[in-house]
Amino acid sequence: MDHSNKVNRRKFFRQLAGATGAAIALPYIIPASALGKEGATAPSDRIVMGVIGAGSMGTGDMRTFMGKPEVQMVAACDVDKSHREKAKSIIDANYEKSDARIYNDYREFLTNEKLDAVILALPDQWHGIIYIACANAGLDIYGQKPLARTIWEGQQIVDAVQKNNIVWQTGSWQRSVAQFHHAAELVINNRIGKVTHVEVGLPNGTPSQVHNPVQPVPEGLDWDMWLGPAPASPYRGVCHWNWRWILDYSGGQLTDWAGHHIDIAHWGLGLDRTGPVEIEGKGVYPREGLYDVPVEYFITSRYATGVEMTIANARRLEHGMGVCWYGDKGWIHVNRSGIWASDDKILAEKIGDDETKLYYSRDHAQNFLDCIRTRKETITPVDIAHRSISGGLLGEIAMLTGRKLKWDPDKQIFPDDPLANRLLRRPFRSPWKLKGN
Amino acid sequence: MKNKIIYLFILIALTAGLSTLPSCQSGSGNKTAYHALIVTGQNNHSWQESTPILKQILENSGLFSVDVAQTPKTGENMSQFKPDFSQYDVVVLDYVGDPWPEETRTAFEQYVSGGGGVVVYHAADNAFRNWVAYNQMIGIGGWGNRNESDGPYIRWKDGKTVRINEPGPTGNHGPQRAFQVTIRESEHPITKGLPKIWLHAKDELYQQLRGPAENLTVLATAYADTAKGGTGGNEPVLMTIRYGKGRIFHTTLGHVMGKGPFPAVECVGFIVTLQRGAEWAASGKVTQEIPDDFPQFNVTSRWPLFRPMNLDEILDQLREYKPGDNRMPEQDLTNLLRGQYNAGTFDEIEDQLLKFIIGNGSAAGKNYVCRELSLYGSENALPVLHKLMTKEPDVAEMARFAYERISGEYSN
């Protein structure tokens, strides 16, 4: 395929959106005469996408987007040969072709591919560098949560995405599910009165301890590239999926799930563009085995409005997994299994036309695609994603320091604890830098 | 001849309450709250190993001074074995063997019924099938040809302790493994505040114990998985029994056999419950704090020295540390430094850490200390870190990591 003659598709979408403005109704309607042979969007009008990080999450997202007729998936990048070859076979099988392109190095991927949008599903230590590289390349981004491994990296991602006018959707898909939307809308419209407290129950822990020895790197895995900016470490048989239990790459269940349930908690409170003003927490860190993320965590955050948030292992909370807001007139609890309230009548309440309506989406991927065309904000924009994960990362810092911390959510610093501020950022392993890649 | 002398020395050391194990931190010379006596000398386990460990554990609580009463060997004349139980607040039983003289048995019964404390440790519940009062004290026991005539099986079922009157074997276990202990009585002084479920390090899980089980409270059970040779029931592992005015703490945990290490007794869960159980048996109350590194539902936690390591011991281990080793010294350093910093005493130990990173330790050990310095280090650390950045390639990256965090000047 000759990419040099392709129009800058993103520019095309932007111009289209600019010309017709708000007149474009969602979903975007394409004249039947332009439909391709699949009865969908003509190939030339499709949103051209690729994926960086083609593991279980990346290929899952890839399949979701390939299920959209307006998407053309063309390339995959992964530092594991088996991952990228599998991604190619999935793409090729979907289009009954054999021209999907694969890469080991995201820099080559970005240089060679002319994409409209990219799916990013990487271990957390890579988020800062690659998210920003893609934003600077002008690609719209479907980025997996949590936004970043540190608060400072999150801030840099927000800046890059906003500066480049990137349409950003976070993989915080719960916002596009009816019960979460319903729960948050009831709460924000005072159906349980003034909220004083919210409990956020996250999964209980990690898999059992593993004591893996140092071992040869499997063939086809570029381990040094997988580590990227994380500290050098010999391979010990833990890479895909289970990287989540090692602090160099993740904060464990806490940071994995902050982008879901803290995100929803903030949404209902109307606090999703700010953060707490005070945090304290206690974590229990395993002393043996390779995994070092906390298996027990109990965090209390206080917001400027006075509302208090508890974030903890689900089994330590009254309602378990999910979000439970407590107001002076009742409570609402929501998770992936359902929605409950202190009184069923609360759940039957309708939200009036003059009340606060939260962003409506029932298809997270479609919402992203629609916004690529309209250039409007998605249901989970980057700055909200940053505040959702910050709720978890601040808890992590409170546990690591063992101190009650004051937080300035505007300046995003601990005003009176310089040592806690050190934890806002991690130096990268040479030669990786956040800027200039 | 030489062997005989060594043997004699060991015997003296044991009976005098000495041991070759790391000395206890609390200083046994200080006045302690309680006096404990460990009874040992015969066992179907390695009592020569377990008794000094039990002694360490009790002393490390800072609450006990510990004597050891050692019986003659199997088959030898027992008539002079007459410890004065009345001198002690708690008697710890690490004994399975020949019957004690009647006088001693009577004295022990009087000691317990009069309000004495007892800890029944692991195989001590295998002992003395035919001594009625002893079986009332241990509540339930196993082996020694016990059968349904000795009493019901005791298990936890549907939220309560159940007595199962059915024939069958008494006392056995599947292969040793780590298993979860579930607290069933969380308001008892011994168990109050412990995690509801914790993963006990590799041990035997005793099952199908039975006995009179009078005045017995099950504090904790473990599920004996049928896939691991278990009964499929929740078997009691921690119990209390009242005998007259006496208080008895019974733990089935703590298998010690052959040569160490012995994860079952290094388990912080075993150590802490033994210390708390002994204090309760001695006094009826528990004043000890629960350590932060108590095992959790899915992670074990051990103290190889039967107490937390101090900074010197941690650094000694880190000096030899290489990737792939057990992370214990790393995490212990992290926990210790957090505590030191928050107590305002980090300044006193920073030099020790700086000496360590320019010393002759392993790169992995130094890298870990650099990482910790990144969190707590002062400006004093900067020149040392800077030197490492240029002089030691294996440590240079982590030294830079620390340097940049401390100085706030990031290169990337």
Coordinates of all heavy atoms in Angstrom, one line a residue, chain B residues 248-307:
Chain B
I248 N -5.6 -23.3 78.9 CA -4.8 -24.1 78.0 C -4.9 -23.5 76.6 O -6.0 -23.3 76.1 CB -5.1 -25.6 78.1 CG1 -4.9 -26.1 79.5 CG2 -4.3 -26.4 77.0 CD1 -6.1 -26.8 80.0
F249 N -3.8 -23.3 76.0 CA -3.8 -22.9 74.6 C -3.2 -24.1 73.8 O -2.1 -24.6 74.1 CB -2.9 -21.6 74.3 CG -2.7 -21.3 72.9 CD1 -3.8 -21.0 72.1 CD2 -1.4 -21.4 72.3 CE1 -3.6 -20.7 70.7 CE2 -1.2 -21.1 71.0 CZ -2.3 -20.8 70.2
H250 N -3.9 -24.5 72.8 CA -3.5 -25.7 72.1 C -3.3 -25.3 70.6 O -4.2 -24.9 70.0 CB -4.6 -26.8 72.2 CG -4.3 -28.1 71.5 ND1 -5.1 -29.2 71.6 CD2 -3.4 -28.4 70.6 CE1 -4.7 -30.2 70.9 NE2 -3.6 -29.7 70.2
T251 N -2.1 -25.5 70.1 CA -1.8 -25.2 68.7 C -1.4 -26.6 68.0 O -0.5 -27.2 68.6 CB -0.8 -24.1 68.4 OG1 -0.6 -24.0 67.0 CG2 0.5 -24.4 69.1
T252 N -2.0 -26.9 67.0 CA -1.6 -28.2 66.3 C -0.5 -27.9 65.3 O 0.0 -28.8 64.6 CB -2.8 -28.8 65.5 OG1 -3.1 -28.0 64.4 CG2 -4.0 -29.0 66.4
L253 N -0.2 -26.6 65.1 CA 0.8 -26.2 64.1 C 2.2 -26.3 64.6 O 2.5 -26.5 65.8 CB 0.6 -24.7 63.8 CG -0.8 -24.3 63.3 CD1 -1.0 -22.8 63.1 CD2 -1.2 -25.1 62.1
G254 N 3.2 -26.3 63.7 CA 4.6 -26.1 64.1 C 5.4 -27.4 63.9 O 6.3 -27.7 64.7
H255 N 5.2 -28.1 62.8 CA 6.0 -29.4 62.6 C 7.5 -29.1 62.5 O 7.9 -28.3 61.7 CB 5.5 -30.0 61.3 CG 6.2 -31.3 61.0 ND1 6.0 -32.5 61.8 CD2 7.0 -31.7 60.0 CE1 6.8 -33.4 61.3 NE2 7.4 -33.0 60.2
V256 N 8.3 -29.8 63.3 CA 9.8 -29.7 63.2 C 10.3 -31.1 63.2 O 10.2 -31.8 64.2 CB 10.3 -28.9 64.5 CG1 11.8 -29.0 64.6 CG2 9.9 -27.4 64.4
M257 N 11.0 -31.4 62.1 CA 11.6 -32.8 62.0 C 12.8 -32.7 61.2 O 12.8 -32.0 60.1 CB 10.5 -33.7 61.3 CG 10.9 -35.1 61.3 SD 10.8 -35.9 62.9 CE 9.3 -36.9 62.7
G258 N 13.9 -33.4 61.6 CA 15.1 -33.4 60.9 C 15.9 -32.1 61.0 O 15.9 -31.4 62.0
K259 N 16.5 -31.7 59.8 CA 17.3 -30.5 59.8 C 16.5 -29.3 59.2 O 15.7 -29.5 58.4 CB 18.6 -30.7 59.0 CG 19.6 -31.7 59.6 CD 20.3 -30.9 60.8 CE 20.9 -31.9 61.8 NZ 20.8 -31.5 63.2
G260 N 16.8 -28.1 59.7 CA 16.1 -26.9 59.2 C 16.4 -26.6 57.8 O 17.2 -27.2 57.2
P261 N 15.9 -25.5 57.3 CA 14.9 -24.6 58.0 C 13.6 -25.2 58.2 O 13.2 -26.1 57.5 CB 14.8 -23.4 57.0 CG 15.2 -23.9 55.7 CD 16.1 -25.0 55.9
F262 N 12.8 -24.7 59.1 CA 11.5 -25.2 59.5 C 10.5 -24.1 59.3 O 10.2 -23.3 60.2 CB 11.5 -25.6 61.0 CG 12.6 -26.6 61.3 CD1 13.7 -26.2 62.2 CD2 12.6 -27.9 60.9 CE1 14.7 -27.1 62.5 CE2 13.6 -28.8 61.2 CZ 14.6 -28.4 62.0
P263 N 9.9 -24.1 58.1 CA 9.0 -23.0 57.8 C 7.8 -22.9 58.7 O 7.3 -21.8 59.0 CB 8.6 -23.2 56.3 CG 9.1 -24.6 56.0 CD 10.2 -24.9 56.9
A264 N 7.4 -24.1 59.2 CA 6.2 -24.1 60.0 C 6.3 -23.2 61.3 O 5.4 -22.6 61.7 CB 5.8 -25.5 60.4
V265 N 7.5 -23.3 61.9 CA 7.7 -22.5 63.1 C 8.4 -21.1 62.8 O 8.5 -20.3 63.7 CB 8.6 -23.3 64.1 CG1 7.8 -24.4 64.7 CG2 9.9 -23.8 63.5
E266 N 8.9 -20.9 61.6 CA 9.3 -19.6 61.2 C 8.1 -18.7 60.8 O 8.3 -17.5 60.8 CB 10.3 -19.7 60.0 CG 11.6 -20.3 60.3 CD 12.5 -20.4 59.1 OE1 12.1 -20.0 58.0 OE2 13.6 -21.0 59.2
C267 N 7.0 -19.3 60.5 CA 5.8 -18.6 60.1 C 5.5 -17.5 61.2 O 5.3 -17.9 62.4 CB 4.7 -19.5 59.9 SG 3.1 -18.7 59.7
V268 N 5.3 -16.3 60.8 CA 5.0 -15.2 61.7 C 3.6 -15.5 62.4 O 3.4 -15.2 63.5 CB 4.9 -13.8 61.0 CG1 4.5 -12.7 62.0 CG2 6.3 -13.5 60.4
G269 N 2.8 -16.2 61.6 CA 1.5 -16.6 62.2 C 1.6 -17.6 63.3 O 1.0 -17.5 64.4
F270 N 2.5 -18.6 63.1 CA 2.8 -19.5 64.2 C 3.4 -18.8 65.4 O 3.0 -19.0 66.6 CB 3.7 -20.6 63.7 CG 4.2 -21.5 64.9 CD1 3.4 -22.6 65.3 CD2 5.4 -21.3 65.5 CE1 3.7 -23.4 66.4 CE2 5.8 -22.1 66.6 CZ 5.0 -23.1 67.0
I271 N 4.4 -18.0 65.1 CA 5.1 -17.3 66.2 C 4.2 -16.4 67.0 O 4.2 -16.5 68.3 CB 6.3 -16.5 65.6 CG1 7.4 -17.5 65.0 CG2 7.0 -15.6 66.7 CD1 8.4 -16.8 64.2
V272 N 3.5 -15.6 66.3 CA 2.6 -14.6 67.0 C 1.5 -15.3 67.8 O 1.2 -14.9 68.9 CB 2.1 -13.6 66.0 CG1 1.0 -12.8 66.6 CG2 3.2 -12.7 65.5
T273 N 0.9 -16.3 67.2 CA -0.2 -17.0 67.9 C 0.4 -17.8 69.1 O -0.3 -17.9 70.2 CB -1.0 -17.9 67.1 OG1 -0.2 -18.8 66.4 CG2 -1.8 -17.1 66.1
L274 N 1.6 -18.3 69.0 CA 2.2 -19.0 70.2 C 2.5 -18.0 71.3 O 2.2 -18.2 72.5 CB 3.5 -19.7 69.7 CG 4.1 -20.6 70.9 CD1 3.4 -22.0 70.8 CD2 5.6 -20.7 70.8
Q275 N 3.0 -16.8 70.9 CA 3.4 -15.8 71.9 C 2.1 -15.3 72.6 O 2.0 -15.2 73.8 CB 4.1 -14.6 71.3 CG 5.5 -15.0 70.9 CD 6.2 -13.9 70.0 OE1 5.5 -13.2 69.3 NE2 7.5 -13.9 70.1
R276 N 1.1 -15.1 71.8 CA -0.2 -14.6 72.3 C -0.9 -15.6 73.2 O -1.4 -15.4 74.2 CB -1.1 -14.1 71.2 CG -0.5 -12.8 70.5 CD -1.4 -12.5 69.2 NE -2.6 -11.9 69.6 CZ -2.8 -10.6 69.8 NH1 -1.8 -9.8 69.7 NH2 -4.1 -10.2 70.1
G277 N -0.8 -16.9 72.6 CA -1.4 -18.0 73.4 C -0.8 -18.2 74.7 O -1.4 -18.5 75.7
A278 N 0.6 -18.1 74.7 CA 1.3 -18.3 76.0 C 1.0 -17.2 77.0 O 0.8 -17.4 78.2 CB 2.8 -18.4 75.7
E279 N 0.9 -16.0 76.5 CA 0.6 -14.9 77.4 C -0.8 -15.0 78.0 O -1.0 -14.8 79.2 CB 0.7 -13.5 76.7 CG 0.5 -12.3 77.6 CD 0.5 -11.0 77.0 OE1 0.5 -10.9 75.7 OE2 0.4 -10.0 77.7
W280 N -1.8 -15.4 77.1 CA -3.1 -15.7 77.6 C -3.2 -16.8 78.6 O -3.8 -16.7 79.7 CB -4.1 -16.0 76.4 CG -5.4 -16.3 76.9 CD1 -6.4 -15.4 77.2 CD2 -6.0 -17.6 77.1 NE1 -7.5 -16.0 77.6 CE2 -7.3 -17.4 77.6 CE3 -5.5 -18.9 76.9 CZ2 -8.2 -18.5 77.9 CZ3 -6.3 -20.0 77.2 CH2 -7.7 -19.7 77.7
A281 N -2.4 -17.9 78.3 CA -2.4 -19.0 79.2 C -1.8 -18.6 80.6 O -2.3 -19.0 81.6 CB -1.6 -20.2 78.6
A282 N -0.8 -17.7 80.5 CA -0.1 -17.3 81.7 C -1.0 -16.3 82.5 O -0.9 -16.3 83.8 CB 1.2 -16.7 81.4
S283 N -1.8 -15.5 81.8 CA -2.4 -14.3 82.5 C -3.9 -14.1 82.3 O -4.5 -13.3 82.9 CB -1.6 -13.1 82.1 OG -1.9 -12.8 80.8
G284 N -4.4 -14.8 81.2 CA -5.8 -14.5 80.8 C -5.9 -13.3 80.0 O -7.1 -12.9 79.6
K285 N -4.8 -12.6 79.7 CA -5.0 -11.4 78.8 C -3.8 -11.4 77.7 O -2.8 -12.2 77.9 CB -5.0 -10.1 79.6 CG -3.8 -9.9 80.4 CD -3.9 -8.6 81.3 CE -2.6 -8.1 81.7 NZ -2.1 -8.4 83.0
V286 N -3.9 -10.6 76.7 CA -2.9 -10.5 75.7 C -2.6 -9.0 75.5 O -3.5 -8.2 75.2 CB -3.4 -11.1 74.4 CG1 -2.3 -10.9 73.3 CG2 -3.6 -12.6 74.6
T287 N -1.3 -8.6 75.7 CA -0.9 -7.2 75.6 C -0.1 -7.0 74.3 O 0.2 -5.8 74.0 CB -0.1 -6.8 76.8 OG1 1.0 -7.7 76.9 CG2 -0.9 -6.9 78.1
Q288 N 0.2 -8.0 73.6 CA 1.2 -7.9 72.5 C 0.5 -7.3 71.2 O -0.7 -7.6 70.9 CB 1.8 -9.2 72.1 CG 2.5 -9.8 73.3 CD 2.9 -11.3 73.1 OE1 3.7 -11.6 72.3 NE2 2.2 -12.2 73.7
E289 N 1.2 -6.5 70.5 CA 0.7 -5.9 69.2 C 0.9 -7.0 68.1 O 1.7 -7.9 68.2 CB 1.6 -4.7 68.8 CG 1.7 -3.6 69.9 CD 0.6 -2.6 69.6 OE1 0.4 -2.2 68.5 OE2 0.0 -2.1 70.6
I290 N 0.0 -6.8 67.1 CA 0.2 -7.7 66.0 C 1.1 -7.0 65.0 O 0.9 -5.9 64.6 CB -1.2 -8.0 65.4 CG1 -2.0 -8.8 66.4 CG2 -1.1 -8.8 64.0 CD1 -3.5 -8.8 66.1
P291 N 2.2 -7.7 64.5 CA 3.1 -7.1 63.6 C 2.5 -6.8 62.2 O 1.6 -7.6 61.8 CB 4.3 -8.1 63.6 CG 3.7 -9.4 63.9 CD 2.5 -9.1 64.8
D292 N 3.0 -5.8 61.6 CA 2.5 -5.5 60.2 C 2.8 -6.6 59.2 O 2.2 -6.7 58.2 CB 3.2 -4.2 59.7 CG 2.6 -3.0 60.4 OD1 1.5 -3.1 61.0 OD2 3.2 -1.9 60.3
D293 N 3.9 -7.4 59.5 CA 4.2 -8.4 58.5 C 3.6 -9.8 58.9 O 4.1 -10.8 58.5 CB 5.7 -8.6 58.3 CG 6.5 -8.6 59.6 OD1 5.9 -8.6 60.7 OD2 7.7 -8.5 59.6
F294 N 2.5 -9.8 59.6 CA 1.7 -11.0 59.8 C 1.3 -11.5 58.4 O 1.0 -10.7 57.5 CB 0.5 -10.7 60.6 CG -0.1 -11.9 61.3 CD1 0.3 -12.3 62.5 CD2 -1.1 -12.6 60.6 CE1 -0.3 -13.5 63.1 CE2 -1.7 -13.8 61.1 CZ -1.3 -14.2 62.4
P295 N 1.3 -12.8 58.2 CA 0.8 -13.3 56.9 C -0.6 -12.9 56.5 O -1.4 -12.7 57.4 CB 0.9 -14.9 57.0 CG 1.1 -15.1 58.5 CD 1.6 -13.9 59.1
Q296 N -0.9 -12.8 55.3 CA -2.2 -12.5 54.8 C -2.8 -13.7 54.1 O -2.3 -14.7 54.1 CB -2.1 -11.3 53.9 CG -1.5 -10.0 54.5 CD -2.3 -9.5 55.7 OE1 -3.5 -9.5 55.6 NE2 -1.7 -8.9 56.7
F297 N -4.0 -13.4 53.6 CA -4.8 -14.6 53.1 C -4.1 -15.4 52.0 O -4.3 -16.5 51.8 CB -6.2 -14.1 52.6 CG -6.2 -13.3 51.3 CD1 -6.6 -13.9 50.1 CD2 -5.7 -12.1 51.2 CE1 -6.6 -13.3 48.9 CE2 -5.7 -11.4 50.0 CZ -6.1 -12.0 48.9
N298 N -3.2 -14.7 51.2 CA -2.6 -15.4 50.1 C -1.1 -15.3 50.1 O -0.5 -15.6 49.1 CB -3.2 -14.9 48.8 CG -2.9 -13.4 48.6 OD1 -2.4 -12.7 49.5 ND2 -3.1 -12.9 47.4
V299 N -0.5 -14.7 51.1 CA 0.9 -14.7 51.2 C 1.4 -15.2 52.6 O 0.9 -14.8 53.6 CB 1.5 -13.3 50.9 CG1 1.3 -12.9 49.5 CG2 1.0 -12.2 51.9
T300 N 2.4 -16.0 52.6 CA 3.1 -16.4 53.8 C 4.0 -15.3 54.3 O 4.4 -14.4 53.5 CB 3.9 -17.7 53.6 OG1 4.8 -17.5 52.6 CG2 3.0 -18.9 53.2
S301 N 4.4 -15.4 55.5 CA 5.4 -14.5 56.0 C 6.2 -15.2 57.1 O 5.6 -15.7 58.0 CB 4.7 -13.2 56.5 OG 5.6 -12.3 57.0
R302 N 7.5 -15.2 57.0 CA 8.3 -15.9 57.9 C 9.3 -15.0 58.6 O 9.8 -14.0 58.1 CB 9.1 -17.1 57.2 CG 8.2 -18.2 56.7 CD 9.0 -19.2 56.0 NE 9.7 -18.7 54.8 CZ 11.0 -18.8 54.6 NH1 11.8 -19.4 55.5 NH2 11.6 -18.2 53.6
W303 N 9.7 -15.4 59.8 CA 10.8 -14.8 60.5 C 11.9 -15.8 60.8 O 11.7 -16.6 61.8 CB 10.4 -14.2 61.9 CG 9.6 -12.9 61.8 CD1 9.5 -12.0 60.8 CD2 8.8 -12.4 62.9 NE1 8.7 -11.0 61.2 CE2 8.2 -11.2 62.4 CE3 8.4 -12.8 64.2 CZ2 7.4 -10.4 63.2 CZ3 7.6 -12.1 64.9 CH2 7.0 -10.9 64.5
P304 N 12.8 -16.0 59.9 CA 13.8 -17.0 60.1 C 14.6 -16.9 61.4 O 15.1 -17.9 61.9 CB 14.8 -16.9 58.9 CG 13.9 -16.2 57.8 CD 13.0 -15.3 58.6
L305 N 14.6 -15.7 62.0 CA 15.3 -15.6 63.3 C 14.3 -15.6 64.4 O 14.6 -15.3 65.6 CB 16.1 -14.3 63.3 CG 17.1 -14.1 62.2 CD1 17.9 -12.7 62.4 CD2 18.1 -15.2 62.2
F306 N 13.0 -15.9 64.1 CA 11.9 -16.0 65.0 C 11.6 -14.6 65.6 O 11.0 -14.5 66.7 CB 12.2 -17.1 66.1 CG 12.6 -18.4 65.5 CD1 14.0 -18.8 65.6 CD2 11.7 -19.1 64.9 CE1 14.3 -19.9 64.9 CE2 12.1 -20.3 64.2 CZ 13.4 -20.7 64.3
R307 N 12.0 -13.6 65.0 CA 11.7 -12.2 65.3 C 12.1 -11.4 64.1 O 12.8 -11.9 63.2 CB 12.5 -11.8 66.5 CG 14.0 -11.9 66.3 CD 14.8 -11.2 67.3 NE 16.2 -11.5 67.2 CZ 17.1 -11.1 66.3 NH1 16.6 -10.3 65.3 NH2 18.3 -11.5 66.3

